[in-house]
Amino acid sequence: MEHIQKSGFYYANKFARITLEAYEEVIGKNGLNAILHLAGLSDMIDNYPPDNLEREFDFADFTAIHVGLEEMYGPRGGRGMALRAGRAIFNDSLKNFGALAGVGDQAFIVLPLLAKIRIGLPALAKIFSQVNDQLSSVEETEDAFIWTIHRCPVCWTRKNADKPVCYITTGLLQAMLSWVSGGLEFRINESKCCAVGDRVCEFVIQKDPIE
């Protein structure tokens, strides 16, 4: 696997650890160890980053894990694993974290669906922007929400992919929307991706849930 040059941008150790634990849950310890080996990160086998918010996990290493996932399982298999891991990250660790901590309260639960999403999506973006060097923003159009990552850790330096690759983020957004909506599913499409040459990674989230 091609070496990815260090970025100088960092994920908090805790978020990197949560991601590795999610992949271990989805593909098993041996599968994850093989990916870490492939990604040139063998020193992380049985040695995950500490459970703290220090920004020490380089985006290049995060990308290398996802390139390794695709190489080992193929683009289609890797996509399925990343979607599942993204959902696991939210459901296991993020739904009571930081700006989302009050989102499960009774006062929130009785809000209309759109109001819940208008609160939930920016709250999640705020967590990623405050805790990591990943800058995320949310805007609303007539029929969709646009979630934009201005500095993406999943596809750092990647340029020649034939389609968007940030499936772990799609899975995370799916889980978050399912949680705030009481189990509904929403159509999410990564419409732009740095890995195919775009300047940002952009996710279009339809306002109406899937029937």
Side-chain angles (χ1 to χ4, degrees), residues 38 56 63 81 100 128 134:
L38 198 59
E56 295 177 332
T63 293
M81 303 291 188
L100 284 170
F128 278 97
Q134 170 184 322

Side-chain angles (χ1 to χ4, degrees), residues 120-148:
L121 281 174
L124 188 60
K126 185 177 179 184
I127 289 171
F128 278 97
S129 296
Q130 284 185 338
V131 176
N132 308 292
D133 289 336
Q134 170 184 322
L135 301 178
S136 304
S137 64
V138 184
E139 58 186 286
E140 183 177 354
T141 66
E142 191 175 339
D143 55 5
F145 291 94
I146 313 296
W147 170 288
T148 304

Side-chain angles (χ1 to χ4, degrees), residues 8-193:
F9 296 114
Y10 297 93
Y11 240 30
N13 286 329
K14 184 184 187 78
F15 278 60
R17 185 185 184 94
I18 287 168
T19 302
L20 291 171
E21 287 171 348
Y23 273 122
E24 186 180 317
E25 184 180 317
V26 168
I27 61 181
K29 194 162 186 58
N30 289 341
L32 178 58
N33 288 351
I35 287 167
L36 290 172
H37 185 71
L38 198 59
L41 300 171
S42 300
D43 56 333
M44 282 184 199
I45 294 172
D46 295 322
N47 184 35
Y48 295 169
D51 190 6
N52 63 38
L53 293 176
E54 296 297 317
R55 299 186 191 195
E56 295 177 332
F57 197 89
D58 198 286
F59 280 13
D61 294 339
F62 203 76
T63 293
I65 290 166
H66 289 90
V67 173
L69 185 75
E70 283 181 34
E71 287 191 8
M72 181 161 289
Y73 292 100
R76 186 185 291 269
R79 171 189 177 179
M81 303 291 188
L83 283 168
R84 284 171 57 198
R87 289 196 284 264
I89 287 167
F90 185 83
N91 291 330
D92 294 350
S93 304
L94 283 194
K95 64 184 180 187
N96 297 311
F97 187 92
L100 284 170
V103 170
D105 293 350
Q106 193 60 39
F108 179 84
I109 290 167
V110 298
L111 289 173
L113 177 59
L114 262 184
K116 290 182 190 177
I117 297 173
R118 284 190 184 114
I119 293 168
L121 281 174
L124 188 60
K126 185 177 179 184
I127 289 171
F128 278 97
S129 296
Q130 284 185 338
V131 176
N132 308 292
D133 289 336
Q134 170 184 322
L135 301 178
S136 304
S137 64
V138 184
E139 58 186 286
E140 183 177 354
T141 66
E142 191 175 339
D143 55 5
F145 291 94
I146 313 296
W147 170 288
T148 304
I149 300 176
H150 304 273
R151 192 189 290 146
C152 182
V154 182
C155 57
W156 184 256
T157 72
R158 293 188 69 178
K159 291 289 177 223
N160 301 316
D162 57 358
K163 59 178 68 173
V165 299
C166 306
Y167 298 115
I168 192 168
T169 305
T170 301
L172 190 126
L173 290 170
Q174 285 174 343
M176 183 268 170
L177 289 162
S178 176
W179 181 59
V180 301
S181 68
L184 298 174
E185 294 290 327
F186 292 80
R187 192 166 278 108
I188 301 172
N189 173 50
E190 188 178 2
S191 55
K192 294 180 184 175
C193 183

